[in-house]
Amino acid sequence: MGDRLVADGIVERLTAWGVDRVFGYSGDGINPVLGAIRRAGRPAFVQTRHEENAAFMAVGHAKYTGGVGVVLSTQGPGAVHLLNGLYDARMDSVPVVAIVGQQSQTVLGSAYQQEIDLQSLFKDVASGFRQQVNSAEQAPMVIDRAFKAALATRSPAVVILPHDIQQEPAPELEHEHGVIPSVALWSPGVVVPQEQDVHDAAALLNAGSKLALLVGQGARDAQEEVVALAEKLGAAVVTSLLGKPYVDEALPYAAGTMGHLGTSASGWVMANCDTLLIVGSNDPWTEFYPPPGAARAVQIDSDAKAIGNRYPVEAAVTGDAAFSLRQLLPLVSQRTGWLADVERHVSAWRSLSEARAFTAADPVNPERVVRELNGRLPADARVAVDVGSCVYWYARQLHLPRGVPAHLSSTLASMGCGVPYGLAAKLSAPERPVVVLSGDGGFQMTGVAELITVSRLWRQWANPVFAICILNNRDLAEVSWEQRETESEPRFEDSQELPDVDYAGYAKVLGLDGMRVSSADDVSAAWERALAADRPFVLDFVTDPDVPLLPPFPGGKALAESMEEALAAEGNAHRLSLLREYVRLEEEAQL
């Protein structure tokens, strides 16, 4: 086929936007675009095992690189499969462009095979931009607007491409009415706050005596400014789950992650501060904020819609986090504040987390598995985290070296993101080691399939280290503990029990490597072996599902009582004794 098609023009536009890889799965609805990618030789096409995982990879690509993730799918079922990953992008504020095939325009409305109303399907998830291309002339403009919308709104944009449009000859755009030229160019600029807003924020902060900063992912480029302001104010620093990689948790006033899965130090800080500065966070765990009225609050965010979205703030600074903090810094007074109290509680939390990790379990305590990664995680590593109980142990036990990114499906909290995210991290920087933290539930959901993708691609990587840690407890543990905590319900075995799979053996069948670890004494050596392996390595840690997912005390005390009531109904003495031991450790750590 010698003629240049609309599909070729679309691929050229992707290249103009700097897209170096797209994730997806083939199908007749998108085959002309795939043919154009083959002819052009770029961008690289990454074939996944399922469109949902392709969408997760596009989200992961955007998170690790700071660019736009791109995913391709066919019409009908392929389009439907994208939704979970696209909602992940929407809820974690990540720019993704989905290019979705559609049946030819001539059959739309006939209830044709795989015909779905894609405009309606994507109406919510891509409310910022979704558009069907209805003419050849329209295609480049729609692609350009999709990228600009994704970047401007930090959300998914969807382009729907009917099959017949993809096959049309690419026209030379004339300078005439009804033809809109566009360009693949984006300049984000910096949102500069109003001077009076910064002065109002400084006055409020200067009036406080027990200050806390809640730092989210919006502070990713303001890490030095956060430290400078915290040290001048004598403030504690707490992070959202998404903000965890952007604060050095070795700092003596860094109280860790907030929320149900957070630290007891963060719980104490948020319950006792009298002034709160929220920087680039939209964390939904509102019950773990200070009680409304207990603390005066300032919020800095580049998105005006986020101001006051989670807590009743008195001062709003709409602006880039780093710029706004630099403007604020000379206006606040130097003080030591309540640092002595904060540091005592941070120290107590660190002792508690160590005691919990080394509490005896049957056979291995999952907290110890994650804790043993500390000091072994390479300084240039990338970390991907699945959803489930593993997130609790990541939030509480893993201290990320400065500059090591870690990402997960946070706000959507979708199981199955771990291996797809890890693949996106590796493909965008194949020279860097990758560690994936997953539960067996999340791994069975998507990891088993995408390990095939790993086996297909790994020989191309400059650094073969790709360590997948599976916390294999044969239970959907987070939900089991949620049932006990919020419903006072005993575990429902038919719902919660998972099959025990030989994950290491499966890895070896695929030409990879792995080992099963069922003794706490072997955990550290297993990590070292995986991080030195000459190929991707699956660590199958046989962990105890009875290690409780306690929320931070003192607020978590009442919830622990609900758990105990449910465990008494289960009649499992081991679970009950572990819960009581964890409660004892929590109570002893309270200052």
Side-chain angles (χ1 to χ4, degrees):
M1 186 180 295
D3 294 335
R4 180 171 169 271
L5 305 179
V6 168
D8 296 295
I10 288 168
V11 170
E12 291 165 10
R13 219 60 172 189
L14 294 179
T15 301
W17 275 103
V19 176
D20 51 9
R21 68 181 47 80
V22 297
F23 305 91
Y25 204 80
S26 62
D28 63 329
I30 200 65
N31 277 345
V33 171
L34 290 170
I37 291 175
R38 178 190 62 78
R39 290 190 292 276
R42 59 178 183 170
F45 179 72
V46 181
Q47 182 206 72
T48 64
R49 313 276 62 78
H50 193 284
E51 291 93 349
E52 177 183 358
N53 300 335
F56 276 138
M57 289 182 201
V59 178
H61 177 90
K63 287 184 175 182
Y64 287 102
T65 67
V68 181
V70 180
V71 61
L72 300 180
S73 86
T74 190
Q75 69 237 345
V80 173
H81 289 162
L82 294 179
L83 285 176
N84 210 39
L86 295 183
Y87 271 108
D88 184 31
R90 178 184 173 93
M91 296 179 74
D92 276 356
S93 300
V94 176
V96 168
V97 171
I99 298 176
V100 185
Q102 176 61 296
Q103 291 289 7
S104 295
Q105 293 180 103
T106 54
V107 302
L108 295 181
S110 70
Y112 204 74
Q113 184 183 34
Q114 294 191 334
E115 180 192 350
I116 288 176
D117 182 353
L118 297 182
Q119 290 274 15
S120 296
L121 180 73
F122 295 116
K123 181 178 181 180
D124 181 55
V125 73
S127 59
F129 186 89
R130 69 193 184 287
Q131 183 63 53
Q132 178 170 303
V133 176
N134 295 311
S135 73
E137 292 79 7
Q138 187 188 6
M141 177 268 292
V142 171
I143 293 291
D144 289 345
R145 286 177 59 85
F147 274 85
K148 292 172 185 178
L151 287 161
T153 64
R154 297 197 62 83
S155 67
V158 171
V159 176
I160 302 165
L161 290 173
H163 190 268
D164 52 345
I165 295 294
Q166 297 174 55
Q167 293 179 312
E168 286 189 12
E172 294 295 329
L173 298 183
E174 302 293 337
H175 181 52
E176 60 179 320
H177 178 74
V179 176
I180 300 178
S182 63
V183 64
L185 185 65
W186 167 254
S187 178
V190 175
V191 181
V192 176
Q194 297 197 50
E195 185 176 347
Q196 186 59 51
D197 291 342
V198 177
H199 281 270
D200 291 344
L204 193 153
L205 294 173
N206 284 332
S209 59
K210 297 186 291 184
L211 287 91
L213 276 65
L214 170 58
V215 177
Q217 65 167 336
R220 64 174 67 83
D221 297 320
Q223 297 177 53
E224 293 181 3
E225 290 82 357
V226 164
V227 169
L229 188 68
E231 293 186 346
K232 191 170 184 181
L233 293 172
V237 176
V238 172
T239 73
S240 69
L241 186 60
L242 288 173
K244 176 179 168 73
Y246 308 117
V247 169
D248 181 2
E249 291 183 325
L251 295 168
Y253 50 82
T257 306
M258 71 162 286
H260 190 283
L261 45 64
T263 70
S264 61
S266 75
W268 181 86
V269 166
M270 297 296 271
N272 289 277
C273 66
D274 63 17
T275 308
L276 178 65
L277 172 58
I278 304 169
V279 184
S281 175
N282 195 31
D283 194 290
W285 289 107
T286 53
E287 67 268 38
F288 291 91
Y289 287 70
R296 303 181 70 192
V298 177
Q299 187 168 358
I300 298 173
D301 206 289
S302 60
D303 182 359
K305 298 193 304 297
I307 302 289
N309 197 31
R310 304 299 188 191
Y311 193 77
V313 302
E314 295 181 45
V317 179
T318 301
D320 172 79
F323 186 94
S324 300
L325 291 171
R326 287 195 295 269
Q327 298 299 109
L328 191 59
L329 188 62
L331 303 178
V332 299
S333 57
Q334 181 84 44
R335 73 201 85 166
T336 57
W338 61 332
L339 273 183
D341 286 338
V342 169
E343 291 179 6
R344 282 194 307 116
H345 280 270
V346 170
S347 179
W349 158 250
R350 290 174 179 169
S351 296
L352 171 60
S353 64
E354 181 178 21
R356 285 167 50 154
F358 285 90
T359 298
D362 182 20
V364 178
N365 189 320
E367 296 206 53
R368 180 168 178 179
V369 170
V370 177
R371 189 177 185 88
E372 292 282 8
L373 185 53
N374 292 326
R376 296 182 170 87
L377 190 63
D380 61 343
R382 289 176 158 188
V383 177
V385 186
D386 213 297
V387 168
S389 59
C390 60
V391 181
Y392 286 72
W393 319 138
Y394 157 72
R396 294 172 176 174
Q397 296 290 355
L398 185 60
H399 297 161
L400 295 166
R402 290 199 65 181
V404 170
H407 293 292
L408 74 160
S409 172
S410 178
T411 315
L412 182 63
S414 178
M415 289 173 62
C417 65
V419 175
Y421 270 33
L423 270 163
K426 192 66 171 180
L427 290 170
S428 62
E431 74 283 0
R432 297 178 66 168
V434 167
V435 172
V436 178
L437 301 177
S438 179
D440 48 351
F443 191 78
Q444 288 184 15
M445 193 172 279
T446 64
V448 168
E450 293 308 331
L451 199 62
I452 298 171
T453 308
V454 173
S455 73
R456 180 183 186 184
L457 299 176
W458 75 269
R459 289 177 178 83
Q460 305 169 21
W461 300 340
N463 181 334
V465 175
F466 190 91
I468 302 173
C469 161
I470 302 170
L471 302 176
N472 179 8
N473 60 17
R474 291 81 57 209
D475 185 50
L476 293 171
E478 183 175 13
V479 177
S480 292
W481 285 103
E482 286 171 344
Q483 289 171 337
R484 294 162 180 146
E485 175 189 324
T486 62
E487 316 298 336
S488 294
E489 281 278 348
R491 177 177 178 271
F492 180 27
E493 186 170 307
D494 289 350
S495 165
Q496 299 307 112
E497 186 176 16
L498 291 173
D500 188 6
V501 175
D502 182 1
Y503 301 107
Y506 173 56
K508 291 176 181 178
V509 167
L510 294 174
L512 310 177
D513 204 354
M515 65 182 295
R516 174 165 283 206
V517 181
S518 56
S519 170
D521 294 337
D522 297 332
V523 171
S524 59
W527 273 120
E528 290 171 3
R529 181 178 168 189
L531 293 171
D534 64 354
R535 63 194 61 210
F537 199 99
V538 171
L539 287 163
D540 180 358
F541 289 107
V542 184
T543 58
D544 192 337
D546 297 339
V547 172
L549 276 60
L550 281 181
F553 276 35
K557 173 68 172 173
L559 299 175
E561 292 170 357
S562 178
M563 291 179 179
E564 182 160 344
E565 180 182 338
L567 291 179
E570 292 178 24
N572 186 305
H574 174 65
R575 289 173 191 157
L576 199 54
S577 66
L578 258 181
L579 175 66
R580 288 172 176 167
E581 175 63 11
Y582 265 58
V583 168
R584 183 188 67 79
L585 291 171
E586 290 276 359
E587 290 177 335
E588 286 184 355
Q590 299 303 305
L591 300 177

